[in-house]
């Protein structure tokens, strides 16, 4: 009995000598500074301190893990409602850039140099909107304001579409002022493009924030299908209806459609509010821990003097801060997975824009007469032949997007991407070799399925390789550069290849050799993208979009994730 007392006494003396105040919170630091180190009651405080640590662990653990890993499975009806926005987004942007803008250029400026005016406006609007998504995305990440940014940009974008129709209507009344009206119309196109980019960045971030990995492939497929539906509505339906409805009312209709399809995005508002609370709590805990550590460090320093030789030049420090900001801003490209997903997507998008932009000229210059096997009367014009081709591609794109979902769960995203590269490569080579309209239609099946595969895994890939989930809006906007830059470079890239090909071998020797070169280079780049996608290293459950289970128990924790990279 006496030995126990002696042992306890020695232990108590050791604790008195070595005891340090806890630094978990700022309150503890203040108490320790006022009262100094205290001797704990070994009989009572030890258990209380142990219980307190357990409670703090229980509170802090979800903040570190649950935010990005323990996402709840979302009901299908919510996913459908959320994805409806992509119909309005896609059809509105397609209508403005593919139908309204070309028509207004001819209406206000005439047929002369219409291609140059079109390319200038699209290139300028795309270039000026490149950094709108990342900048506003970063603000959205920093201040946790997804919905205000989204609906603010959505309202402004929809308003711009309606104003574009009003400008056209006013110019019809005052035809002598076509130049000022066209300049105003062009400025509205540029401004609306920026709002469109901001909306896209924020909605993409919502998907990254809320959708669990086992549903990411499904959401990516739904987004791709709804985008395709929007393209069909924007091009085909508006092109037909435009003959019977005034362009002003059509612009207002698309403006309203854009707003209406944006409302269902609110189905996740409670999830976003809960996530924002948890993020705020995590940041607060991190800040308190940092402040406590600083206070503890100051307490240990007996004479915290600043050396005289440390004098920071204000101009130099400002340059350093700007440099550090830029480095942090583009830091996702330092991640190997993010970089390779960006490169492969860029390659697919560039070749798609380059080849698709010259389908009509390819049909007109090389494939006439059509000699369509199923009808001698249809198609009778180049435009009808193009419409039939695009219709076939759209149908098989829907089929491909549907097939990609089960294939991804069995083979993984990377293998599906590799297969789409193979299909696009084969179709491009066959088109370049045979150069007949019937062969083009047959190859449209492979092209459509390949595009469907791409749409089904595109967004899922982006979310799988995000370096920092807390900066999802900014990082996804940077990822989308792989789409914006091909929009800038695709058309001149295709024109360059056609020009070089026709110079090497003129039409008198081989008809349309420029198009052969275009489709051959595009096919090679698409195959290269399909092969390089295996540079991306993903866990098996992330690649296939399935739940990770260990010993029959679902495991979403980073600490327990023993899945090997493949």
């Amino acid at each position: 009995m006496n030995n126990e007392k002696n042992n306890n006494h020695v232990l108590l003396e050791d604790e008195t000598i070595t005891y340090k105040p806890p630094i978990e919170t700022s309150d503890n630091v203040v108490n320790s500074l006022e009262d100094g180190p205290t001797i704990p009651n070994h009989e009572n405080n030890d258990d209380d301190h142990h219980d307190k640590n357990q409670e703090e662990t229980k509170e802090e653990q979800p903040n570190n893990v649950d935010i990005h890993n323990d996402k709840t499975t979302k009901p299908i009806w919510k996913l459908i409602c959320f994805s409806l926005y992509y119909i309005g987004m896609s059809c509105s942007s397609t209508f403005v850039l593919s139908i309204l803008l070309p028509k207004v250029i001819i209406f206000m400026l005439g047929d002369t140099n219409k291609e140059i005016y079109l390319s200038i406006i699209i290139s300028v609007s795309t270039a000026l909107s490149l950094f709108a998504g990342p900048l506003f995305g970063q603000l959205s990440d920093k201040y946790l304001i997804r919905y205000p940014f989204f609906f603010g940009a959505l309202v402004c974008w929809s308003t711009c579409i309606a104003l574009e129709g009003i400008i056209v209507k006013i110019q019809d009344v005052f035809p002598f002022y076509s130049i000022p009206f066209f300049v105003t119309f062009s400025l509205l196109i540029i401004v609306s493009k920026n709002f469109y980019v901001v909306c896209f960045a924020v909605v993409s971030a919502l998907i990254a924030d809320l959708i669990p990995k086992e549903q990411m492939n499904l959401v990516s497929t739904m987004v791709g299908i709804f985008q395709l539906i929007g393209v069909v509505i924007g091009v085909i339906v508006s092109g037909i209806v435009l003959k019977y409805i005034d362009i002003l009312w059509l612009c207002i209709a698309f403006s309203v459609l854009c707003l209406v399809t944006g409302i269902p995005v609110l189905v996740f508002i409670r999830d976003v509010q809960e996530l924002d609370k948890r993020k705020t709590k995590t940041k607060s805990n991190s800040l308190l821990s940092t402040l406590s550590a600083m206070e503890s460090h100051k307490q240990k320093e007996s004479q915290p003097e600043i050396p005289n030789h440390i004098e920071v030049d204000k101009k130099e420090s400002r340059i350093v801060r700007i440099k550090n900001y830029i480095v942090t801003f583009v830091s996702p490209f330092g991640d190997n997975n993010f970089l390779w997903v960006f490169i492969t997507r860029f390659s697919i998008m560039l070749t798609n824009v380059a080849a698709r932009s010259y389908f009509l000229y390819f049909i007109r210059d090389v494939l006439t007469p059509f000699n369509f096997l199923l009808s001698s009367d249809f198609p009778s014009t180049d435009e009808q032949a193009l419409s039939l081709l695009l219709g076939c591609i759209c149908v098989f794109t829907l089929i491909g997007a549907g097939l990609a979902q089960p294939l991804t769960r069995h083979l993984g995203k990377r293998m599906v991407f590799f297969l789409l590269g193979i299909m696009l490569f084969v179709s491009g080579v066959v088109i370049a070799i045979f150069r007949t309209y019937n062969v083009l239609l047959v190859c449209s099946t492979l092209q459509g399925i390949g595009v469907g595969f791409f749409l089904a895994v595109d967004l899922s890939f982006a979310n799988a390789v995000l370096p920092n989930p807390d900066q999802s809006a900014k990082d996804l906007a940077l990822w989308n550069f792989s789409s914006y830059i091909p929009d800038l470079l695709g058309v001149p890239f295709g024109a360059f290849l056609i020009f070089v090909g026709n110079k090497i071998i003129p039409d008198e020797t081989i008809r349309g050799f420029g198009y052969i070169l275009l489709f051959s280079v595009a096919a090679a780049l698409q195959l290269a993208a399909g092969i390089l996608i295996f540079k991306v290293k993903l866990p098996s459950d992330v690649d296939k979009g399935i739940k990770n289970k260990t010993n029959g128990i679902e495991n979403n924790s980073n600490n327990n994730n023993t899945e090997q990279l493949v």
Side-chain angles (χ1 to χ4, degrees), residues 430-450:
V430 172
I431 290 172
I433 292 175
F434 293 97
R435 303 191 305 283
T436 66
Y437 186 70
N438 291 302
V439 169
L440 182 63
L441 288 180
V442 172
C443 290
S444 68
T445 61
L446 284 177
Q447 287 213 345
I449 294 174

Side-chain angles (χ1 to χ4, degrees), residues 201-212:
V202 176
V203 171
S204 299
L206 286 174
I207 293 176
D209 289 342
L210 302 174
I211 305 301

Side-chain angles (χ1 to χ4, degrees), residues 2 105 119 141-142 193 197 213 294 335 356 364 409-410 447 479 482 485 488 490 496 553:
N2 294 328
I105 289 175
S119 62
D141 293 330
K142 183 176 181 180
K193 179 72 173 179
V197 168
K213 63 185 177 183
M294 293 173 63
D335 182 85
R356 181 190 61 197
R364 178 180 299 173
R409 296 187 69 85
H410 288 86
Q447 287 213 345
W479 162 79
S482 58
I485 297 176
L488 280 172
F496 172 76
I553 301 175

Side-chain angles (χ1 to χ4, degrees), residues 253-309:
F254 275 101
S255 175
V256 173
L257 178 63
C258 189
L259 283 173
V260 170
T261 55
I263 294 175
V265 176
L266 287 171
V267 294
F268 289 136
I269 187 169
R270 290 186 178 180
D271 301 81
V272 172
Q273 290 173 346
E274 179 63 25
L275 181 65
D276 289 347
K277 290 179 181 178
R278 294 160 72 186
K279 285 185 176 181
T280 302
K281 188 174 181 180
T282 301
K283 290 182 178 180
S284 299
N285 291 339
S286 177
L287 179 60
L288 288 173
S289 299
T290 303
L291 292 175
S292 300
M294 293 173 63
E295 291 289 344
S296 176
H297 180 71
K298 288 181 179 179
Q299 187 178 359
K300 293 178 182 179
E301 293 290 339
S302 58
Q303 294 179 349
E305 297 180 357
I306 301 176
N308 295 328
H309 66 275

Side-chain angles (χ1 to χ4, degrees), residues 63-127:
N63 292 330
N64 296 331
V65 175
D66 292 356
I67 290 180
H68 302 301
N69 295 315
D70 289 348
K71 301 172 185 175
T72 58
T73 302
K74 304 300 184 292
I76 296 297
W77 70 269
K78 281 192 174 183
L79 298 180
I80 294 175
C81 290
F82 184 86
S83 302
L84 284 175
Y85 164 71
Y86 285 89
I87 294 180
M89 177 197 73
S90 182
C91 73
S92 299
S93 61
T94 302
F95 164 72
V96 170
L97 297 179
S98 300
I99 301 295
L100 181 62
L101 179 58
K103 185 176 180 64
V104 167
I105 289 175
I106 296 175
F107 179 66
M108 293 186 180
L109 303 180
D111 284 327
T112 306
N113 297 326
K114 59 182 182 297
E115 295 87 358
I116 297 177
Y117 297 136
L118 179 63
S119 62
I120 289 175
I121 295 175
I122 291 178
S123 298
V124 171
S125 63
T126 303

